[in-house]
Amino acid sequence: MNYADRISRSGTASNRVPFVGFVENARNRRIVYALAAIVLAIFVFFPRPYVARATLVPQDTSSSAGTNTMLTLLGGQSQNFASLLGGGRVSNDLYLIIGRSDSVATDVINRLNLVGPSRPYTTLERAKVKLAKKVDIHLLLGGVMEIETRTNDAKYSKDLTAAYVAAISKQLASFGRQLITNKQRIVEQ
């Protein structure tokens, strides 16, 4: 008998922990390892999440900086007037607010026909809540907007991301046209 055997067998039944006796049995250890392997295999292979990502670079409003410079050259007080024309850059947070807005979510739901009697969701509100859990819209460095969709269906992830890209692009274009209209109205006055 070697030293390790003497140490492990030196305890008596009265001072042993019951768990130690269970672990010392090789058959019990094999059963526990097999059960752990089965549980891990289930978690690893089922369900498999699919991620679809798309990036958008919002429009650059720095073209209005030329208006700002021109009005500054004409007079000292024109700086305030230039800021009314939108001489400053639009905040990246504004793009994020547009991307996460209800109008974008409603547009996506309408594009994919997600609400109805034979559709995945029964109400518009329920569809918005579920989409908010599946789709993440966030900003990367430099103001690049990323849309990330996680579902268990690859085609649905791709379609949902494409619908969000189309809806956000539509809203950003509408926002850009509204800015131009406001600038033209101020200049004409």
Side-chain angles (χ1 to χ4, degrees):
M1 186 183 311
N2 63 17
Y3 178 73
D5 289 338
R6 277 186 279 146
I7 295 294
S8 67
R9 296 173 195 253
S10 64
T12 62
S14 63
N15 65 0
R16 276 194 192 183
V17 179
F19 181 71
V20 173
F22 181 79
V23 174
E24 283 182 347
N25 187 350
R27 182 173 182 257
N28 291 343
R29 283 193 311 264
R30 289 185 192 118
I31 290 171
V32 170
Y33 292 145
L35 288 175
I38 290 170
V39 168
L40 289 176
I42 289 172
F43 285 141
V44 167
F45 296 113
F46 302 105
R48 185 174 180 185
Y50 292 96
V51 178
R53 288 188 183 102
T55 55
L56 285 173
V57 181
Q59 61 188 1
D60 188 15
T61 58
S62 63
S63 62
S64 61
T67 309
N68 187 8
T69 306
M70 178 103 149
L71 290 173
T72 303
L73 290 174
L74 293 175
Q77 294 294 341
S78 63
Q79 182 67 27
N80 293 333
F81 184 67
S83 66
L84 286 175
L85 291 176
R89 295 179 54 89
V90 176
S91 171
N92 290 334
D93 293 336
L94 184 62
Y95 293 129
L96 190 59
I97 290 169
I98 290 172
R100 292 179 178 172
S101 68
D102 280 344
S103 61
V104 169
T106 304
D107 192 10
V108 168
I109 291 168
N110 291 336
R111 283 176 192 263
L112 297 178
N113 294 326
L114 296 177
V115 176
S118 62
R119 302 291 177 196
Y121 307 109
T122 55
T123 65
L124 185 66
E125 290 76 25
R126 181 173 292 211
K128 286 180 184 180
V129 168
K130 294 293 185 178
L131 288 183
K133 292 179 182 177
K134 293 177 182 180
V135 179
D136 180 31
I137 300 172
H138 53 273
L139 290 177
L140 303 175
L141 292 176
V144 176
M145 185 184 301
E146 183 177 55
I147 300 131
E148 183 177 84
T149 306
R150 291 179 186 271
T151 65
N152 292 331
D153 182 14
K155 183 181 180 319
Y156 182 62
S157 290
K158 183 180 175 185
D159 292 344
L160 194 56
T161 304
Y164 262 94
V165 167
I168 291 172
S169 297
K170 177 182 165 188
Q171 289 294 327
L172 289 176
S174 172
F175 176 69
R177 285 191 300 272
Q178 185 180 6
L179 277 178
I180 291 171
T181 304
N182 290 343
K183 289 177 187 179
Q184 288 174 346
R185 192 177 323 127
I186 290 173
V187 168
E188 289 173 357
Q189 290 178 354

